Amino acid sequence: MAKNWYAVQTFSNFENKAKLALEDAIRRAGLGHRFGEVLVPTEAVVEVKDGQKKTTTRKKYPGYMFVNMEIDNETWHLVTTTPKVAGFIGGSRNPPALAEAELRTILDQGSPVEEKPKPVVHFERGEDVRIIDGPFASMPGKVEEVNQARAKLRVLVTIFGRQTSVELDYTQVERPR
């Protein structure tokens, strides 16, 4: 029987505990040969707190984990009776396996180069900001344009009495206190 990937819903904020509990249940039941990996995909994000950049990880799919397994009554029952697991996505005794395209997206195999951490902060046009990094550090400015895809801002700053537009990363600015 071939192993396929399945999406499993977990209790919110208990994804890692559900993963550990499932791996323990698999080991205790002696079914390791019928299971592959159990994943809780995470991503690196940059947060700016008190003017300091901090890289943290967060779950890409909160409330879900992904299991590579052969599915039958015994393995289905093992997964669904694991503590902190709500059940398979699809809600039936015969849940659908993930498609190859979905799996590549989940596992980030679709992007050949590693991406920079994504910023958590969101800015809006017209918002006042303070520059915290680069040649304009400690200067106030006003957001003129937001490019969320590139995590860049175009900010108007006053230099020698004239407004000048500068392009900055999200991590180079913060909201004034």
Side-chain angles (χ1 to χ4, degrees):
M1 204 173 189
K3 292 179 185 159
N4 290 309
W5 285 93
Y6 297 91
V8 177
Q9 188 170 12
T10 65
F11 293 178
S12 189
N13 294 320
F14 287 99
E15 298 86 355
N16 290 327
K17 287 185 188 240
K19 176 185 184 233
L20 292 173
L22 178 58
E23 289 170 338
D24 186 50
I26 292 167
R27 187 180 36 74
R28 281 186 285 114
L31 295 175
H33 62 285
R34 294 173 59 198
F35 283 85
E37 287 183 86
V38 179
L39 296 176
V40 177
T42 59
E43 64 184 343
V45 293
V46 175
E47 296 176 326
V48 178
K49 287 187 180 177
D50 299 325
Q52 300 293 317
K53 290 185 234 177
K54 182 180 173 188
T55 303
T56 59
T57 58
R58 75 171 174 200
K59 294 170 189 75
K60 285 177 86 170
Y61 304 97
Y64 298 95
M65 68 179 176
F66 301 90
V67 182
N68 187 11
M69 61 185 279
E70 297 172 4
I71 195 146
D72 62 17
N73 283 340
E74 187 177 16
T75 57
W76 179 89
H77 190 285
L78 182 75
V79 172
T80 57
T81 59
T82 300
K84 310 295 184 214
V85 169
F88 284 92
I89 302 302
S92 67
R93 279 210 171 265
N94 193 13
L98 293 173
E100 190 67 32
E102 292 173 315
L103 184 60
R104 272 196 307 275
T105 302
I106 291 166
L107 299 178
D108 274 338
Q109 292 174 350
S111 57
V113 291
E114 191 169 316
E115 298 176 11
K116 291 196 310 190
K118 296 179 185 174
V120 175
V121 184
H122 299 286
F123 294 96
E124 293 182 21
R125 192 167 187 237
E127 185 175 356
D128 290 326
V129 293
R130 187 171 69 88
I131 301 171
I132 58 171
D133 188 27
F136 304 105
S138 77
M139 293 182 76
K142 188 174 285 289
V143 176
E144 179 182 37
E145 184 182 320
V146 179
N147 185 338
Q148 287 186 339
R150 293 180 49 222
K152 299 272 187 186
L153 298 172
R154 189 150 293 282
V155 177
L156 286 174
V157 293
T158 304
I159 303 172
F160 303 119
R162 293 178 49 184
Q163 290 218 325
T164 305
S165 182
V166 294
E167 186 175 85
L168 301 166
D169 288 333
Y170 278 12
T171 58
Q172 290 181 285
V173 299
E174 70 177 3
R175 290 184 173 91
R177 293 179 193 146

